Amino acid sequence: MPDLLSLSAAHPIPLPLDDSAADQLPSEFVWMPKGEHQISAYAAGDAQPWVGRVTCDEAGARAVAAAHAKVLASGRRVYLDENHDDAAATAWVLAFSWDPARGIIVKVAWTSLGESLLRGKVYHSFSPAFLINRSTGRVTGFPAGHAAGGLVNAPAFGAAMPALIAARLSGADTLTVNPASGGLPDNPKSTMHKELLLQILAALAVQVPADANDEQLATLFAQHQDQLLAAAQTNAALQAQLAALDVVHAKAGTDAAELTLLRAKDVARRAADAQTAVAAAVARGALPAKDETIQAKWRGLIASDPAHATLLAALPANPALTRVTTPGGDLQVTPKLLEHLRGYAAEKDAKRAGAIYARHIDGEVGKLGNHVLELMASNSLGSSATAIITQRVLTLLKYRFPFLKQITTDFSSEGAKFNQDVITRLRSVPTVRDYDGTTGYTTRSDATTTDVTITINKHKYVSVEFTAAELGSTARDLFGEQSEPQLYALGYQLVSDLLAKVVEGANAFGTSGSQATQIANAAAFNTGTLDTIAGVLDARKVSPMGRFALLDGALWPQLRGDTRLVYLAGFQDRSVIEQYDTMPPVSGFQLFNTPFLPNPTVNSSKAMHGFCGTMDSLALATRLPADYTQALPGAANGVARTITEPDSGLSVMLVQYVNHDLGSAISRVSLMYGAAVGNKLTGQLIAY
């Protein structure tokens, strides 16, 4: 039997006149123009090009339609691509038909990719991909498993001497089909094919030698092609025989192409299985996670012979390589968590790193506790372990010192110079206006703010150092254990310096003569006291939103014993008695236990034990010291990293380095900040 060629050639397709959606793309166009076309193409394995004619006629249209029907019957779809890349679909083929005036017509539904390429004038031509009988030049279908053509830029198909573009040869260019696989009988001795040829030639009254072989039958068939087509116009039986013959040709090409596709899928499956087996070995510690060379060798062995997967599975785990996957025996560390940890370690922007931690890591790492360092070290993330712990503790600070969320803050990861002034803004209540029937709403009540200058005059740090002897004497995560105390100490100092501003402005808060609400002693403090203070602030027209009360170690337990709160705990909210640091709002004030609140003398002779205010009462700004490790680019300066809490924006600088002279390792957390008194009318002291 003659060979089959898989070819493609281009011709123009009608494009929209403009880019508007109203100018519709063609729903059908000429897939292949009718007639004969001289072509030159290389077949697989041939040293010289094959030169001959391609004939596009009704028989070819029937063959293409039969190939399309077969693909649809298999549950797949026929598509067109871009520049014969066999990748994304530019259109889905709906049907093939024959137009005696034009040729083989294809009806399509354009994809968004195809529409954008055409409307954008990226391509102006179409190239069909098709199978031909090399001996007869007849179109016999299109390569199954591949696109039936694509958008291209090329000379027109159907010109006097058309150029062949994007020639592609199918993986199987002969009609060899293995009967054992369920295909047609082997050719060139295909019984079905020979019988069809004999039937067609007999219908044309062609004399066929009794001993004619397949090649001779094909030659006779080609010689009487014109006579055959004329007879087929009125002979339904002959039409059916021609269609069956086209299906035989197409079937042979498609079976071979499908075999090639199946082989490619098998190779891909083996590669995927090998990757899975190697990943599992790395996860259980049988292979080193960072040794890509040995992993690649195992992948190659398993892909070539899947039996090697069993050998790899039998390799014992190396305890030194085993990842921590069940700290405490109750937590499975998922690959997704490891992926997010790697993303956090690689992220250079502190805000984005903080967002990754808050969204993907916080809840899981909290369960790991002291196993964080083990987990990260066993997954090549050891250098970021302290950063993760610092990030976690920084997040916890907003719960340890929750009233920081109640005041005006300007937290930033920007650098600043010592004693530098920064400007932050306090809210102001806008003025209410009267509507005017003549001028309407022209008088504005723009929201206003009040500038407050804050001097960055505090540069604080907490540094922890361990010697080589100390680090080598235990398997504990010494630096990880110190991260929480480090940040707590830093946070405590920051809050103490903030509250010192309350001391500085103690006699300036409120109005002259009423800076403090005085009580006889701690035993006299109750919810009624807070009712009184609420009335004082109301009289000053202080906004009721965001009011808070800081109570020292004498007032807090006293208020917890208040009768109104005891009844509330007994009948509605047990958390009032179950959690010492939690109380519900009273008189519009959010309450905070502040045992470290200073007790300055106010009103000449009384000591302050509580402070009530709003967001505008105090202002706090934080900045970071300069990163001096960048002074000598390329030098081994250790590691400096900014850690940002994403909700508040509070940032600290984490610096880790080693002292080779002393044989020690140091971890330091630092920040710069300043505080200021805000709107003094919004503050009221509690004193006795």
Side-chain angles (χ1 to χ4, degrees):
M1 281 299 299
D3 293 338
L4 292 178
L5 291 175
S6 174
L7 307 170
S8 53
H11 58 89
I13 61 175
L15 299 178
L17 297 177
D18 58 45
D19 295 333
S20 69
D23 195 3
Q24 297 295 319
L25 296 176
S27 60
E28 62 178 36
F29 55 88
V30 176
W31 185 75
M32 181 182 294
K34 71 170 186 175
E36 292 187 350
H37 308 275
Q38 186 73 20
I39 66 170
S40 175
Y42 282 89
D46 289 352
Q48 298 298 323
W50 176 84
V51 179
R53 289 183 175 276
V54 173
T55 300
C56 175
D57 53 20
E58 188 173 3
R62 288 196 301 271
V64 172
H68 181 231
K70 180 183 177 183
V71 173
L72 294 180
S74 69
R76 294 176 294 168
R77 300 175 69 182
V78 178
Y79 64 100
L80 308 181
D81 61 16
E82 177 186 358
N83 209 26
H84 295 297
D85 61 3
D86 254 341
T90 57
W92 298 107
V93 174
L94 304 179
F96 289 99
S97 61
W98 171 250
D99 184 340
R102 294 184 294 167
I104 300 176
I105 306 300
V106 61
K107 185 176 182 179
V108 301
W110 295 103
T111 66
S112 57
L113 172 62
E115 183 170 359
S116 64
L117 292 174
L118 291 178
R119 291 194 184 282
K121 305 298 189 292
V122 179
Y123 294 101
H124 67 83
S125 295
F126 172 75
S127 170
F130 55 95
L131 295 170
I132 66 167
N133 184 303
R134 182 153 45 177
S135 296
T136 66
R138 294 277 301 282
V139 175
T140 61
F142 54 82
H146 301 279
L151 300 178
V152 296
N153 291 314
F157 191 132
M161 291 295 291
L164 177 70
I165 66 164
R168 297 186 302 159
L169 306 179
S170 69
D173 56 40
T174 66
L175 285 170
T176 300
V177 183
N178 184 358
S181 65
L184 298 175
D186 262 349
N187 70 196
K189 296 181 175 65
S190 171
T191 302
M192 181 184 295
H193 184 268
K194 188 171 184 178
E195 288 178 354
L196 284 170
L197 284 177
L198 289 172
Q199 291 173 12
I200 294 171
L201 292 172
L204 297 175
V206 176
Q207 295 296 321
V208 180
D211 58 350
N213 57 28
D214 289 328
E215 285 71 24
Q216 291 171 322
L217 290 175
T219 300
L220 289 172
F221 184 88
Q223 291 172 351
H224 295 82
Q225 197 165 234
D226 294 338
Q227 180 186 353
L228 171 65
L229 293 176
Q233 298 297 321
T234 58
N235 189 323
L238 189 56
Q239 290 179 13
Q241 291 170 343
L242 285 172
L245 181 62
D246 293 334
V247 170
V248 172
H249 284 213
K251 169 67 176 174
T254 56
D255 277 354
E258 287 172 0
L259 180 60
T260 301
L261 180 61
L262 287 174
R263 287 173 177 166
K265 288 182 177 179
D266 182 62
V267 170
R269 179 186 58 77
R270 289 191 178 206
D273 290 346
Q275 177 64 38
T276 301
V278 170
V282 171
R284 61 187 177 82
L287 294 179
K290 302 180 77 171
D291 195 336
E292 179 58 33
T293 301
I294 192 170
Q295 291 180 38
K297 288 181 179 179
W298 272 106
R299 285 194 293 268
L301 288 172
I302 296 171
S304 61
D305 183 359
H308 285 99
T310 304
L311 297 177
L312 180 57
L315 283 181
N318 183 343
L321 302 177
T322 303
R323 292 180 176 180
V324 179
T325 56
T326 55
D330 59 358
L331 176 68
Q332 289 292 330
V333 177
T334 65
K336 201 68 176 177
L337 174 57
L338 294 178
E339 177 185 337
H340 294 317
L341 289 171
R342 293 189 180 99
Y344 176 90
E347 181 56 62
K348 302 301 182 185
D349 184 271
K351 292 182 179 179
R352 286 197 291 266
I356 292 173
Y357 177 86
R359 183 173 182 179
H360 301 293
I361 301 174
D362 188 15
E364 296 299 323
V365 169
K367 303 173 187 176
L368 288 170
N370 292 332
H371 294 281
V372 173
L373 187 64
E374 301 170 52
L375 169 66
M376 301 192 72
S378 65
N379 289 279
S380 305
L381 295 169
S383 61
S384 299
T386 306
I388 283 285
I389 297 174
T390 303
Q391 182 82 59
R392 175 173 175 251
V393 177
L394 188 60
T395 301
L396 294 177
L397 279 185
K398 66 182 179 183
Y399 301 110
R400 293 295 178 91
F401 305 105
F403 83 88
L404 288 177
K405 295 186 293 184
Q406 303 294 122
I407 66 171
T408 298
T409 56
D410 179 7
F411 295 152
S412 174
S413 59
E414 297 177 357
K417 295 180 179 179
F418 191 69
N419 283 329
Q420 175 181 330
D421 288 342
V422 298
I423 304 297
T424 190
R425 291 176 172 82
L426 305 179
R427 303 171 305 173
S428 295
V429 179
T431 303
V432 177
R433 306 290 184 183
D434 288 321
Y435 174 77
D436 188 291
T438 303
T439 61
Y441 300 102
T442 55
T443 304
R444 307 300 182 195
S445 295
D446 294 334
T448 59
T449 58
T450 302
D451 288 346
V452 174
T453 300
I454 301 177
T455 302
I456 304 298
N457 57 2
K458 304 292 183 182
H459 185 167
K460 303 292 184 179
Y461 71 92
V462 180
S463 185
V464 177
E465 180 176 13
F466 291 106
T467 66
E470 291 171 324
L471 293 169
S473 64
T474 179
R476 290 160 47 206
D477 173 16
L478 297 181
F479 283 110
E481 292 172 359
Q482 289 298 314
S483 289
E484 184 168 354
Q486 274 183 287
L487 276 177
Y488 180 81
L490 202 59
Y492 182 90
Q493 184 63 51
L494 181 147
V495 170
S496 297
D497 289 333
L498 171 65
L499 294 178
K501 289 298 176 182
V502 177
V503 175
E504 290 181 19
N507 289 303
F509 280 111
T511 57
S512 178
S514 62
Q515 294 94 344
T517 297
Q518 298 185 25
I519 56 178
N521 48 45
F525 180 68
N526 54 38
T527 56
T529 309
L530 293 174
D531 288 341
T532 301
I533 297 174
V536 171
L537 296 183
D538 288 343
R540 296 179 196 157
K541 297 182 180 180
V542 175
S543 171
M545 296 182 294
R547 291 182 180 180
F548 64 86
L550 308 182
L551 306 178
D552 72 357
L555 297 186
W556 182 263
Q558 179 64 30
L559 187 62
R560 284 178 55 81
D562 184 275
T563 304
R564 291 162 63 181
L565 295 181
V566 171
Y567 275 112
L568 177 66
F571 294 100
Q572 295 185 36
D573 187 359
R574 292 183 56 82
S575 66
V576 175
I577 58 175
E578 291 174 345
Q579 300 178 26
Y580 181 76
D581 284 333
T582 300
M583 274 198 286
V586 174
S587 305
F589 293 98
Q590 185 67 48
L591 306 177
F592 296 99
N593 181 20
T594 317
F596 41 81
L597 184 71
N599 303 118
T601 300
V602 296
N603 286 9
S604 300
S605 61
K606 303 297 182 180
M608 182 184 76
H609 291 273
F611 175 72
C612 298
T614 71
M615 178 176 286
D616 305 317
S617 303
L618 298 169
L620 175 67
T622 65
R623 295 294 187 268
L624 293 182
D627 184 1
Y628 62 86
T629 64
Q630 301 302 310
L632 296 174
N637 299 314
V639 177
R641 177 165 184 155
T642 299
I643 310 295
T644 298
E645 199 285 308
D647 287 343
S648 64
L650 179 63
S651 300
V652 297
M653 178 171 285
L654 172 66
V655 178
Q656 297 172 290
Y657 62 98
V658 296
N659 186 325
H660 292 291
D661 292 334
L662 299 178
S664 62
I666 299 96
S667 179
R668 182 177 67 243
V669 180
S670 62
L671 83 160
M672 301 169 67
Y673 58 88
V677 174
N679 185 347
K680 298 176 182 178
L681 288 176
T682 63
Q684 184 73 4
L685 312 180
I686 304 173
Y688 62 83

